[in-house]
Amino acid sequence: MSKQTPARACGIDFGTSNSTVGWLRPGMDTMIALEDGKITLPSVVFFNMEERRPVYGRLALHEYLEGYEGRLMRSLKSLLGSKLIKHDTSVLGTAMPFKDLLALFIGELKKRAETTAGRAFDEVVLGRPVHFVDDDIMADQEAEDTMAEVARKIGFKEVSFQYEPIAAAFDYESTLEREELVLIVDIGGGTSDFSLVRLSPDRRFYDDRHEDILATGGVHIGGTDFDKQLSLQGVMPLFGYGSRMKSGAYMPTSTHINLATWHTINSVYSQKSQLALGSMRYDIEDTQGIDRLFKLIDQRAGHWLAMEVEETKIELTHTESRAVAMDRIEAGLNVDLTRVLFESAIDALLERVRNSVTALLKDAGAAFTDVDTVFFTGGSSGIPALRNGVAAMLPNARHVEGNIFGSIGSGLAIEAKKRYG
């Protein structure tokens, strides 16, 4: 097929926090605009109870924050590989299988891409993390199978997969003028994925790149995990996390952990959860924190608080601190969250990331000094402590920043053109 002909297939990067669609077209941007001229569609669905309809992306977040009655669901990709995927959830008063929820959102991606492209897409290359599930091959394969099933259900006739960091590598390769040994560091919302790849201007046209992929690896750690730790260490103590019971024991933490985890926030609003909290209030020495917790739950402000924490994480990539005002919970209540606190909170997670990079290089039989370039991509790849930690391991490597949200989608589009024409 001529290089001047638009590709038949698209590439979809269904992300934990943001999603994109790429399509190779001569003389045009690879990434397709999905919402308000932007290439990303936040992976969010809001079921608007008043108007009985689902809303997606930024508009979903806007309607939720404006106070519309309904249910907000985010971090949908985290369902893949979890036990929840086989169950239902309550949506607009009816039971909806979680698989159908995924189909709803990925189907919206397909519909918006086709509307912008002015044509249908029957073939797709889907991005996937190196590991949906750590250390469980069967669960990992089941997660991929579920995603393929969903893609076929929404109308794709041909479905294939590419590792997300490999897709990012192909995007970077399109800019090269000489051969390089490249470590791709892809830190997304749910996973940290790594690939050691040999790239060059000549190799980019090869159909079979198996020998150029020296090793792949990763861990189930991403931006939502960093959010969770920042929330637990910096915010949840205001709501009773770490409080002592009269017996001397610590207050049970399940409610705080659920509030700090995007896809479990709704569970704290259940009658069972609130009754359990109420029964323990009288056994707590200082009830100030748990009383604030009741106010937060009464206002259903869990997602609002999670968004404040996420925004703080983003701000701390380029500032030393951010003040979070919580007057909606209690007049004058605020907390100053610092980069030092954040880095301390995620230190154990970053150690696992560094260990994964070490294991990857060992698998490839490569020395730390062999790596020419570190290519950073993914929404959480800008965290200074993460970058500095990886950089310190690779003394000879230069650092390149890809399109944080577009590199994977672009690489998947390149792969889609190769596979389907």
Side-chain angles (χ1 to χ4, degrees), residues 112-128:
R112 292 189 183 206
E114 290 177 337
T115 298
T116 302
R119 50 150 295 168
F121 291 112
D122 294 328
E123 301 92 2
V124 65
V125 177
L126 295 168
R128 58 150 293 168

mmCIF file of all heavy atoms in Angstrom, residues 112-128:
data_model
loop_
_atom_site.group_PDB
_atom_site.id
_atom_site.type_symbol
_atom_site.label_atom_id
_atom_site.label_comp_id
_atom_site.label_asym_id
_atom_site.label_seq_id
_atom_site.Cartn_x
_atom_site.Cartn_y
_atom_site.Cartn_z
ATOM 1 N N ARG A 112 -15.941 8.291 18.631
ATOM 2 C CA ARG A 112 -15.388 9.638 18.444
ATOM 3 C C ARG A 112 -14.295 9.639 17.388
ATOM 4 O O ARG A 112 -14.196 10.579 16.591
ATOM 5 C CB ARG A 112 -14.849 10.164 19.782
ATOM 6 C CG ARG A 112 -15.939 10.424 20.794
ATOM 7 C CD ARG A 112 -15.414 11.142 22.022
ATOM 8 N NE ARG A 112 -16.475 11.313 23.007
ATOM 9 C CZ ARG A 112 -16.507 12.274 23.914
ATOM 10 N NH1 ARG A 112 -15.522 13.166 23.976
ATOM 11 N NH2 ARG A 112 -17.504 12.359 24.779
ATOM 12 N N ALA A 113 -13.451 8.601 17.384
ATOM 13 C CA ALA A 113 -12.392 8.522 16.384
ATOM 14 C C ALA A 113 -12.983 8.413 14.978
ATOM 15 O O ALA A 113 -12.517 9.069 14.035
ATOM 16 C CB ALA A 113 -11.484 7.332 16.676
ATOM 17 N N GLU A 114 -14.019 7.607 14.831
ATOM 18 C CA GLU A 114 -14.639 7.427 13.514
ATOM 19 C C GLU A 114 -15.349 8.698 13.056
ATOM 20 O O GLU A 114 -15.323 9.032 11.869
ATOM 21 C CB GLU A 114 -15.621 6.248 13.575
ATOM 22 C CG GLU A 114 -14.911 4.905 13.720
ATOM 23 C CD GLU A 114 -15.866 3.727 13.846
ATOM 24 O OE1 GLU A 114 -17.030 3.941 14.247
ATOM 25 O OE2 GLU A 114 -15.447 2.596 13.545
ATOM 26 N N THR A 115 -15.951 9.414 13.988
ATOM 27 C CA THR A 115 -16.622 10.670 13.635
ATOM 28 C C THR A 115 -15.611 11.688 13.111
ATOM 29 O O THR A 115 -15.832 12.348 12.088
ATOM 30 C CB THR A 115 -17.365 11.244 14.860
ATOM 31 O OG1 THR A 115 -18.372 10.309 15.269
ATOM 32 C CG2 THR A 115 -18.010 12.577 14.522
ATOM 33 N N THR A 116 -14.478 11.808 13.812
ATOM 34 C CA THR A 116 -13.443 12.750 13.387
ATOM 35 C C THR A 116 -12.797 12.310 12.085
ATOM 36 O O THR A 116 -12.522 13.130 11.203
ATOM 37 C CB THR A 116 -12.361 12.890 14.484
ATOM 38 O OG1 THR A 116 -12.988 13.330 15.694
ATOM 39 C CG2 THR A 116 -11.298 13.892 14.078
ATOM 40 N N ALA A 117 -12.560 10.994 11.949
ATOM 41 C CA ALA A 117 -11.893 10.467 10.753
ATOM 42 C C ALA A 117 -12.822 10.464 9.542
ATOM 43 O O ALA A 117 -12.358 10.453 8.397
ATOM 44 C CB ALA A 117 -11.375 9.059 11.019
ATOM 45 N N GLY A 118 -14.125 10.434 9.776
ATOM 46 C CA GLY A 118 -15.071 10.360 8.674
ATOM 47 C C GLY A 118 -15.102 9.002 8.017
ATOM 48 O O GLY A 118 -15.438 8.877 6.844
ATOM 49 N N ARG A 119 -14.780 7.958 8.784
ATOM 50 C CA ARG A 119 -14.772 6.595 8.252
ATOM 51 C C ARG A 119 -14.815 5.617 9.411
ATOM 52 O O ARG A 119 -14.550 5.972 10.568
ATOM 53 C CB ARG A 119 -13.519 6.337 7.423
ATOM 54 C CG ARG A 119 -12.236 6.727 8.103
ATOM 55 C CD ARG A 119 -11.071 5.879 7.663
ATOM 56 N NE ARG A 119 -11.263 4.493 8.069
ATOM 57 C CZ ARG A 119 -10.509 3.510 7.623
ATOM 58 N NH1 ARG A 119 -9.541 3.749 6.752
ATOM 59 N NH2 ARG A 119 -10.707 2.265 8.033
ATOM 60 N N ALA A 120 -15.174 4.378 9.118
ATOM 61 C CA ALA A 120 -15.227 3.328 10.133
ATOM 62 C C ALA A 120 -13.866 2.653 10.271
ATOM 63 O O ALA A 120 -13.076 2.617 9.315
ATOM 64 C CB ALA A 120 -16.283 2.292 9.778
ATOM 65 N N PHE A 121 -13.593 2.141 11.450
ATOM 66 C CA PHE A 121 -12.394 1.328 11.681
ATOM 67 C C PHE A 121 -12.839 -0.079 12.074
ATOM 68 O O PHE A 121 -13.543 -0.267 13.066
ATOM 69 C CB PHE A 121 -11.543 1.914 12.806
ATOM 70 C CG PHE A 121 -10.885 3.222 12.464
ATOM 71 C CD1 PHE A 121 -11.262 4.391 13.095
ATOM 72 C CD2 PHE A 121 -9.875 3.274 11.503
ATOM 73 C CE1 PHE A 121 -10.660 5.598 12.786
ATOM 74 C CE2 PHE A 121 -9.268 4.478 11.175
ATOM 75 C CZ PHE A 121 -9.664 5.642 11.825
ATOM 76 N N ASP A 122 -12.425 -1.050 11.262
ATOM 77 C CA ASP A 122 -12.749 -2.454 11.553
ATOM 78 C C ASP A 122 -11.579 -3.190 12.187
ATOM 79 O O ASP A 122 -11.758 -4.264 12.767
ATOM 80 C CB ASP A 122 -13.153 -3.192 10.269
ATOM 81 C CG ASP A 122 -14.460 -2.666 9.698
ATOM 82 O OD1 ASP A 122 -15.323 -2.240 10.501
ATOM 83 O OD2 ASP A 122 -14.611 -2.672 8.464
ATOM 84 N N GLU A 123 -10.364 -2.645 12.044
ATOM 85 C CA GLU A 123 -9.167 -3.279 12.604
ATOM 86 C C GLU A 123 -8.527 -2.337 13.620
ATOM 87 O O GLU A 123 -8.546 -1.120 13.440
ATOM 88 C CB GLU A 123 -8.145 -3.608 11.509
ATOM 89 C CG GLU A 123 -8.665 -4.547 10.420
ATOM 90 C CD GLU A 123 -9.266 -3.800 9.233
ATOM 91 O OE1 GLU A 123 -9.232 -2.553 9.245
ATOM 92 O OE2 GLU A 123 -9.780 -4.467 8.315
ATOM 93 N N VAL A 124 -7.929 -2.926 14.649
ATOM 94 C CA VAL A 124 -7.317 -2.110 15.690
ATOM 95 C C VAL A 124 -6.125 -2.827 16.321
ATOM 96 O O VAL A 124 -6.128 -4.054 16.449
ATOM 97 C CB VAL A 124 -8.351 -1.753 16.787
ATOM 98 C CG1 VAL A 124 -8.826 -2.990 17.548
ATOM 99 C CG2 VAL A 124 -7.790 -0.726 17.763
ATOM 100 N N VAL A 125 -5.112 -2.050 16.660
ATOM 101 C CA VAL A 125 -4.038 -2.533 17.525
ATOM 102 C C VAL A 125 -4.234 -1.853 18.874
ATOM 103 O O VAL A 125 -4.217 -0.623 18.974
ATOM 104 C CB VAL A 125 -2.640 -2.214 16.967
ATOM 105 C CG1 VAL A 125 -1.558 -2.671 17.955
ATOM 106 C CG2 VAL A 125 -2.428 -2.901 15.621
ATOM 107 N N LEU A 126 -4.448 -2.659 19.881
ATOM 108 C CA LEU A 126 -4.662 -2.152 21.231
ATOM 109 C C LEU A 126 -3.366 -2.190 22.021
ATOM 110 O O LEU A 126 -2.630 -3.185 21.971
ATOM 111 C CB LEU A 126 -5.707 -3.000 21.962
ATOM 112 C CG LEU A 126 -7.136 -2.978 21.404
ATOM 113 C CD1 LEU A 126 -7.965 -4.080 22.046
ATOM 114 C CD2 LEU A 126 -7.786 -1.622 21.666
ATOM 115 N N GLY A 127 -3.086 -1.137 22.738
ATOM 116 C CA GLY A 127 -1.949 -1.166 23.642
ATOM 117 C C GLY A 127 -2.293 -1.954 24.888
ATOM 118 O O GLY A 127 -3.445 -1.997 25.318
ATOM 119 N N ARG A 128 -1.267 -2.592 25.446
ATOM 120 C CA ARG A 128 -1.451 -3.292 26.710
ATOM 121 C C ARG A 128 -0.176 -3.158 27.538
ATOM 122 O O ARG A 128 0.932 -3.060 26.979
ATOM 123 C CB ARG A 128 -1.786 -4.769 26.518
ATOM 124 C CG ARG A 128 -0.778 -5.602 25.736
ATOM 125 C CD ARG A 128 -0.784 -7.050 26.210
ATOM 126 N NE ARG A 128 -0.285 -7.150 27.580
ATOM 127 C CZ ARG A 128 -0.390 -8.245 28.343
ATOM 128 N NH1 ARG A 128 -0.967 -9.330 27.860
ATOM 129 N NH2 ARG A 128 0.091 -8.260 29.577
#
